């Protein structure tokens, strides 16, 4: 036996026989963790491949903390001028900041330093990818609806913090490439009317580049942002436990239950194995694929600017917004406001475009609830095709984001494909305005077509490719009926209908209500209703009649 109980008075006390059990029992009797672990271990999580992207983001964050701690031991976050004396011969004797020199030392003189630098960088890239894909899954399936609106806001904050962490991180080495990025920040700060110069001097500690920006970015990168991300992750996981996990529709799945596996031991074992898979893949990439070779760029000097310089991919859209904006066509974009202040609209308008995107992302759950007037609790997810307007808007946002990303590489596209850079920018400007509209229209039509296909499959079954002749000479294709699980998946969705503008308590239709009515018509005027039980019974009756005729034809031919 591995355990026993002893009786003290009227109370039976558990006694463990193994050393590990004794330690666990000692901690539990003094801390009282067993009820919490028991409750959390019984939490059910659905099993679907699309849910893993949130786990990937969490595991990347853990890897970032581990690798970043290692790098912090040797990184010197100062801009003090020093002469490089390390192992990299081409840089020996060159004056540079202590931050750049310590980055070179980590890469060439610290055992495993280059591997950890690259592991940290690749993990940061995958962290951003996982967050974006995870948020896309949540958006397209409607997982942001009540009661998870605040958890969606937490995810948006994690997305913003990932951008801040990435930018502050790759700016720390103080090389030419990262310095160019900081120069753009200086220009953005100075574009703010009236107080721009003061904001820039506050950020850089004086005139750009100053002498304190690396130390300030270091505090932001290793302390402030990680603490915020860690707090947001805790809040996010807490809300997932409180609200229960969403799940895709299927037999036995309702708004009041969760079908899946408990955290312990099934889900915990799978999650632990998946963590090491992510860690192993990132380690393999870091060991074999070079990234951010700072020794090729040299220490930062405000005078030169490298051709083709670009930030990491998740910051490309901010750079692209600046590049796509006209400088002086068809008129000058510097507006003189009553001779008091100059507004550099070529910089301010891209900032507005980025801000509108972020605000729209944060407020979307309330926008959709306002349009649909749906304030119900939703624990069952939508298939993207069953929400054509939302899916179209999601793809339009992806095109919007993608065009800005591509715009940041306009000069490289021109040189690699031997095109005129102006022609590339003109095309990207066209796509910036009309690409999202085209994407919305095409995506919505594709979703409606897929819904019609699903409806056809439910009513008539799956095509088998077999053609047979009926007794009266008609040729028909034999269809195979769907099983109940597949049929339920295709018919279990809500039939959202147009909600026209309605009068308020005073009998008036306000302007905002008229706008809501127009948006509702845009969302749901073109729709495909789910198959009703009456339609399904009629289709089954027709199918049974065809089967009977085929069997009769078969028996007649066998009689002859």
């Amino acid at each position: 036996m591995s355990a026993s109980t002893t009786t003290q008075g009227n109370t039976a006390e558990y006694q463990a026989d193994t050393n590990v059990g004794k330690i666990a029992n000692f901690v539990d009797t003094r801390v009282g963790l067993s009820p919490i672990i028991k409750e959390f271990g019984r939490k059910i999580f659905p099993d679907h491949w699309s849910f893993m992207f949130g786990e990937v983001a969490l595991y990347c964050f853990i890897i970032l903390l581990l690798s970043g701690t290692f790098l912090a031991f040797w990184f010197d976050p100062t801009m003090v001028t020093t002469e490089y004396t390390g192992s990299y011969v081409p840089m020996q004797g060159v004056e540079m900041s202590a931050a750049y020199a310590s980055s070179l030392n980590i890469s060439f003189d610290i055992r495993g330093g280059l591997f950890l630098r690259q592991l940290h960088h690749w993990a940061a890239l995958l962290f951003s990818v996982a967050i974006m894909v995870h948020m896309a899954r949540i958006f397209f399936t409607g997982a942001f609806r009540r009661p998870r609106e605040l958890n969606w806001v937490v995810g948006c904050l994690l997305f913003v913090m990932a951008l801040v962490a990435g930018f502050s991180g790759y700016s720390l080495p103080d090389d030419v490439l990262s310095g160019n990025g900081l120069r753009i920040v200086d220009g953005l700060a100075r574009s703010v009317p009236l107080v721009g110069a003061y904001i820039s001097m506050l950020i850089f500690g004086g005139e750009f580049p100053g002498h304190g920006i690396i130390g300030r970015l270091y505090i932001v990168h290793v302390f402030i942002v990680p603490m915020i991300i860690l707090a947001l992750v805790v809040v996010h996981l807490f809300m997932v436990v409180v609200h229960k996990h969403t799940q895709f529709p299927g037999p036995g799945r309702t708004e009041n239950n969760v079908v899946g596996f408990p955290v312990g031991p099934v889900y915990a074992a799978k999650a632990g194995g998946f963590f090491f898979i992510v860690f192993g893949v990132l380690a393999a990439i870091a060991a074999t694929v070079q990234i951010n070779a700072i020794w090729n760029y040299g220490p930062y000097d405000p005078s030169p600017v490298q051709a083709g310089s670009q930030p990491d991919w998740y910051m490309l859209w901010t750079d692209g917004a600046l590049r796509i904006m006209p400088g002086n066509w068809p008129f000058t974009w510097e507006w003189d406001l009553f001779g008091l202040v100059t507004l550099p609209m070529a910089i301010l308008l891209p900032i507005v475009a980025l801000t509108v995107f972020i605000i729209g992302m944060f407020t979307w759950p309330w926008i959709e609830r306002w349009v649909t007037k749906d304030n119900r609790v939703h624990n069952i997810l939508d298939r993207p095709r069953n929400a054509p307007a939302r899916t179209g808007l999601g793809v339009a946002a992806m095109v919007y984001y993608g065009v800005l990303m591509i715009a940041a590489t306009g000069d490289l596209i021109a040189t690699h494909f031997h095109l005129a850079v102006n022609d590339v920018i003109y095309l990207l400007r066209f796509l910036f305005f009309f690409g999202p509209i085209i994407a919305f229209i095409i995506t919505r039509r594709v979703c409606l077509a897929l819904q019609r296909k699903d409806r056809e499959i439910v009513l008539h079954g799956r095509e088998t490719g077999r053609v047979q002749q009926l007794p009266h000479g008609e040729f028909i294709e034999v269809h195979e009926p769907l099983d109940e699980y597949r049929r339920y998946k295709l018919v279990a969705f809500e039939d959202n209908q147009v909600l026209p503008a309605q009068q308020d308590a005073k009998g008036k239709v306000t302007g905002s209500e008229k706008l809501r009515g127009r948006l509702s018509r845009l969302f749901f005027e073109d729709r495909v209703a789910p198959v009703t039980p009456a339609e399904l019974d009629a289709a089954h009756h027709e199918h049974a009649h065809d089967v009977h005729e085929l069997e009769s034809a078969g028996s007649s031919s066998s009689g002859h």
Side-chain angles (χ1 to χ4, degrees):
M1 296 178 64
S2 60
S4 61
T5 58
T6 60
T7 303
Q8 296 179 354
N10 296 326
T11 304
E13 182 177 356
Y14 173 81
Q15 296 291 334
D17 291 341
T18 63
N19 293 330
V20 176
K22 291 178 181 178
I23 295 174
N25 186 53
F26 176 85
V27 174
D28 181 49
T29 55
R30 286 150 179 82
V31 181
L33 289 177
S34 58
I36 300 175
I37 296 176
K38 183 178 180 180
E39 178 66 22
F40 184 73
R42 289 179 175 178
K43 285 293 181 181
I44 303 299
F45 283 87
D47 190 20
H48 193 273
W49 64 267
S50 65
F51 298 151
M52 72 178 183
F53 295 108
E55 298 179 46
V56 173
L58 177 62
Y59 301 153
C60 287
F61 181 63
I62 295 174
I63 296 170
L64 285 168
L65 291 179
L66 296 175
S67 57
T69 301
F70 175 89
L71 297 175
F73 289 144
W74 285 278
F75 182 72
D76 184 358
T78 63
M79 302 180 70
V80 177
T81 302
T82 184
E83 183 176 314
Y84 180 70
T85 58
S87 300
Y88 188 60
V89 176
M91 286 290 179
Q92 289 179 354
V94 176
E95 289 189 351
M96 59 186 65
S97 67
Y100 186 67
S102 63
S103 299
L104 292 178
N105 289 333
I106 292 174
S107 301
F108 295 105
D109 298 305
I110 304 301
R111 187 179 298 274
L114 180 59
F115 170 75
L116 266 299
R117 264 197 66 234
Q118 299 196 152
L119 176 64
H120 192 74
H121 204 129
W122 281 114
L125 297 180
L126 185 57
F127 179 59
S128 301
V129 172
I131 288 178
M132 291 184 182
V133 176
H134 183 57
M135 292 188 66
R137 195 275 301 173
I138 292 173
F139 180 87
F140 286 120
T141 59
F144 54 81
R145 293 172 294 179
R146 182 182 177 186
R148 298 174 180 84
E149 301 97 332
L150 293 181
N151 217 3
W152 169 261
V153 173
V154 170
C156 294
L157 290 173
L158 281 170
F159 167 74
V160 174
M161 287 297 103
L163 299 184
V164 175
F167 178 79
S168 61
Y170 73 66
S171 299
L172 289 178
D174 199 28
D175 59 295
V176 171
L177 184 61
S178 64
N180 290 338
L182 290 175
R183 185 58 170 171
I184 294 176
V185 172
D186 175 59
L188 293 175
R190 289 180 176 275
S191 68
V192 179
L194 298 177
V195 296
Y198 299 101
I199 295 176
S200 174
M201 296 181 70
L202 178 65
I203 294 174
F204 293 95
E207 290 291 337
F208 179 85
H211 298 284
I213 185 62
I214 297 300
R216 296 176 180 181
L217 288 176
Y218 183 75
I219 296 299
V220 170
H221 184 71
V222 306
F223 180 71
I224 297 177
V225 172
M227 289 298 102
I228 294 176
I229 292 178
L230 184 60
L232 291 174
V233 169
V234 172
V235 172
H236 177 74
L237 295 178
F238 173 77
M239 288 186 176
V240 169
V241 173
V242 170
H243 296 149
K244 298 186 299 186
H245 205 293
T246 55
Q247 57 187 345
F248 284 96
R253 300 176 181 179
T254 68
E255 298 285 356
N256 301 317
N257 70 350
V258 179
V259 178
F261 298 98
V263 172
V266 177
Y267 197 84
K270 294 173 66 175
F274 190 41
F275 168 75
F276 287 106
I277 290 176
V278 174
F279 204 145
V281 170
L282 282 174
I285 296 175
T288 56
V289 183
Q290 180 177 280
I291 189 171
N292 197 25
I294 58 174
W295 51 89
N296 289 335
Y297 308 143
Y300 181 63
D301 182 351
S303 56
V305 176
Q306 289 181 329
S309 60
Q310 297 172 341
D312 282 339
W313 74 269
Y314 47 83
M315 294 298 294
L316 283 174
W317 70 305
T318 59
D319 193 14
L322 294 171
R323 298 194 187 198
I324 207 173
M325 186 67 191
N328 54 9
W329 180 88
F331 47 79
T332 178
W333 290 88
E334 289 189 359
W335 296 357
D336 190 2
L337 194 61
F338 305 113
L340 300 176
V341 62
T342 300
L343 301 179
M345 302 306 295
I347 298 178
L348 293 178
L349 286 181
I351 295 177
V352 171
L354 302 180
T355 304
V356 168
F357 182 88
I358 295 295
I359 293 176
M361 185 172 62
F362 272 85
T363 58
W364 177 255
W366 291 273
I367 294 175
E368 180 169 317
R369 187 176 67 180
W370 172 65
V371 172
T372 62
K373 291 192 173 183
D374 183 4
N375 197 30
R376 296 171 297 166
V377 172
H378 291 276
N379 295 320
I380 299 296
L381 300 174
D382 291 333
R383 299 175 73 205
R385 67 182 62 182
N386 293 333
R390 182 201 301 146
T391 303
L393 287 172
V395 174
M398 294 172 64
V399 171
Y400 180 89
Y401 189 95
V403 169
L404 293 180
M405 284 182 58
I406 296 174
T409 65
D411 53 344
L412 295 180
I413 293 174
T415 56
H416 282 68
F417 294 96
H418 306 289
L419 302 172
V421 66
N422 286 337
D423 294 340
V424 174
I425 297 300
Y426 292 152
L427 175 61
L428 291 172
R429 287 172 183 168
F430 171 83
L431 293 176
F432 175 78
F433 290 103
F434 296 100
I437 299 174
I438 297 172
F440 173 80
I441 295 173
I442 293 177
T443 302
R444 190 175 64 162
R445 301 313 303 176
V446 169
C447 289
L448 292 172
L450 291 174
Q451 283 185 287
R452 293 188 181 96
K453 179 63 176 178
D454 289 346
R455 182 181 177 87
E456 182 75 13
I457 292 175
V458 170
L459 292 176
H460 302 290
R462 183 181 61 85
E463 296 179 355
T464 62
R466 303 197 312 270
V467 178
Q468 294 189 8
Q469 185 179 15
L470 298 178
H472 57 273
E474 180 185 0
F475 289 92
I476 65 170
E477 181 182 12
V478 179
H479 288 71
E480 178 181 329
L482 300 179
D483 61 82
E484 293 184 1
Y485 184 89
R486 175 67 173 167
R487 186 189 309 129
Y488 185 92
K489 180 180 178 181
L490 298 183
V491 301
F493 65 94
E494 297 179 359
D495 184 18
N496 292 311
Q497 300 184 14
V498 176
L499 293 177
Q502 301 175 3
Q503 297 178 352
D504 58 13
K506 298 180 179 179
K508 296 182 179 180
V509 180
T510 62
S512 62
E513 181 64 14
K514 292 179 181 178
L515 175 61
R516 189 207 59 78
R518 295 190 189 99
L519 292 175
S520 179
R521 188 178 301 109
L522 175 66
F523 275 35
F524 306 120
E525 187 172 31
D526 292 334
R527 62 185 181 85
V528 177
V531 176
T532 63
E535 291 174 321
L536 188 59
D537 290 340
H540 284 177
H541 179 73
E542 180 182 355
H543 178 72
H545 176 70
D546 292 341
V547 170
H548 176 70
E549 289 192 354
L550 288 174
E551 291 177 349
S552 300
S555 61
S556 300
S557 60
S558 60
H560 289 294

